[in-house]
Amino acid sequence: MRCSARGAIKATVNGFLLIEVLTACAILGLCLSILIPVQQWLVRTQSHQQDVLNKAQKRRILESQFEAQWQSIGKFGCSGVPRSIVIGNEFNAPLSNRAFASGSDWLKGLRLGECVAEYHQAGSHLVGQFSGCSINQINTFQLDQCSRSFSVNTSLNHDGRFNITRPSELIETSGLIASSEPTLWYVALGQAGRNGLWKKSELERAAQEIESGVEHIAFYPLLDTDGDGNADAISTEYGAVMSSQVIGIWVEYVYRFTHCSTLVTAPTSHVGSGSSTVVHYTNFRAKRWSYDPSCESVAGYLLELGVK
């Protein structure tokens, strides 16, 4: 009788333990079914936030680079002497030894005033000093006065000092002197195997990649057609415009803000290996740019020209 009671108690205890184990497994499964999607959501959210930060950071870098490169092709000083700004495409590219990116524009202009200094007359010479900027190989400069502008050649001392023989036609004894550098900007295959923004100075032998991750670019001058100082039209035509008419330039571009496995299969289209769907964008000149939104984006930037 006692054996029978003990067996019944043991069976009951074992039953309770089995129920507890099953209940614990059910609770654990329920918790996992909740926690795993939450964890996946947190990972996706963190990844999205990082993409947003990367995108904003890359865009700020590019906009700062645009200003540094192209503000100086606009008006300079008070003489108002106009200069030519030329915009073209890959079909009339001025460099035969570089593969210009298909579907992108190039821009050529006189980079005037990247380095600026005041000068004054000392006897038969004009003297002054550049400070806070790198002249490199530049030895062509522009003397600016309100009456006219002069192009001069001179060499600089190691500390940026200059001594120029005074041009005979010079009227005013003081003014501004600025570095003058004819430069071409374009998009081409970069050193990392992706497109980047390049510049080629006529004063230097080698081209320089100034910013990676620029896949496509287009330039549209904002023109002051009536001389009132305000933009009246935006031009989509290729060719030369005068700096005296150009108020600013709208830069339209596709940029790469993060690393991904997207592979280039055509000059203006991308096919991703396991990446998101390719997006096709028609720019203001009706050219189609294709990009992967998981690592690339389209943007525009309105750049006011002229050295401040």
Side-chain angles (χ1 to χ4, degrees):
M1 187 71 181
R2 287 181 181 177
C3 292
S4 237
R6 287 177 182 174
I9 291 171
K10 186 175 181 181
T12 301
V13 170
N14 290 338
F16 279 129
L17 289 175
L18 180 60
I19 292 173
E20 288 176 355
V21 170
L22 292 175
T23 302
C25 289
I27 293 173
L28 181 60
L30 180 61
C31 291
L32 289 176
S33 66
I34 296 173
L35 290 176
I36 290 176
V38 169
Q39 183 185 27
Q40 293 174 341
W41 176 81
L42 288 173
V43 170
R44 288 195 302 268
T45 299
Q46 185 177 13
S47 177
H48 174 71
Q49 290 175 343
Q50 188 61 49
D51 282 346
V52 171
L53 291 174
N54 290 339
K55 184 186 296 186
Q57 182 182 28
K58 183 65 174 181
R59 187 165 178 173
R60 284 194 298 270
I61 291 172
L62 287 171
E63 290 174 356
S64 296
Q65 191 66 262
F66 294 164
E67 291 183 359
Q69 295 296 319
W70 298 319
Q71 272 190 337
S72 57
I73 66 173
K75 298 176 182 178
F76 172 77
C78 63
S79 64
V81 176
R83 298 175 307 280
S84 178
I85 298 172
V86 184
I87 298 173
N89 56 32
E90 74 270 22
F91 300 110
N92 60 352
L95 289 181
S96 59
N97 62 334
R98 292 295 300 180
F100 284 70
S102 177
S104 289
D105 297 346
W106 53 263
L107 184 149
K108 187 175 183 180
L110 186 64
R111 196 177 184 193
L112 184 61
E114 180 185 6
C115 294
V116 182
E118 294 183 355
Y119 68 84
H120 63 274
Q121 185 172 334
S124 61
H125 290 77
L126 305 176
V127 297
Q129 182 178 13
F130 288 98
S131 62
C133 62
S134 177
I135 301 293
N136 295 329
Q137 301 179 23
I138 299 173
N139 58 8
T140 302
F141 298 88
Q142 200 80 11
L143 294 176
D144 185 82
Q145 298 181 336
C146 290
S147 57
R148 61 181 303 178
S149 184
F150 303 87
S151 180
V152 295
N153 293 323
T154 186
S155 58
L156 304 177
N157 295 333
H158 66 279
D159 59 356
R161 293 182 182 274
F162 57 87
N163 191 316
I164 305 169
T165 301
R166 180 182 181 275
S168 58
E169 62 270 37
L170 195 69
I171 299 173
E172 302 167 38
T173 59
S174 63
L176 295 177
I177 181 172
S179 57
S180 177
E181 185 179 9
T183 305
L184 170 72
W185 293 271
Y186 57 95
V187 170
L189 191 65
Q191 299 173 355
R194 300 291 311 190
N195 284 348
L197 181 64
W198 289 71
K199 76 170 183 176
K200 173 65 175 68
S201 170
E202 291 185 3
L203 305 179
E204 298 180 2
R205 180 172 298 179
Q208 176 187 357
E209 185 181 12
I210 56 178
E211 190 61 49
S212 62
V214 180
E215 296 294 333
H216 297 291
I217 202 164
F219 304 102
Y220 310 97
L222 274 68
L223 304 178
D224 174 12
T225 58
D226 55 12
D228 64 353
N230 298 315
D232 305 304
I234 181 169
S235 174
T236 60
E237 300 297 325
Y238 287 120
V241 291
M242 301 309 294
S243 60
S244 56
Q245 282 191 308
V246 181
I247 299 297
I249 291 180
W250 177 33
V251 185
E252 188 181 26
Y253 60 102
V254 172
Y255 67 103
R256 191 175 185 83
F257 58 85
T258 188
H259 173 76
C260 74
S261 58
T262 306
L263 302 176
V264 176
T265 57
T268 56
S269 64
H270 301 150
V271 177
S273 175
S275 61
S276 61
T277 304
V278 171
V279 174
H280 303 292
Y281 170 78
T282 302
N283 75 1
F284 201 57
R285 282 201 181 91
K287 292 183 179 180
R288 194 175 78 160
W289 292 341
S290 301
Y291 67 96
D292 181 350
S294 68
C295 55
E296 298 169 329
S297 184
V298 176
Y301 185 63
L302 184 57
L303 173 66
E304 183 182 0
L305 297 191
V307 178
K308 302 298 185 289

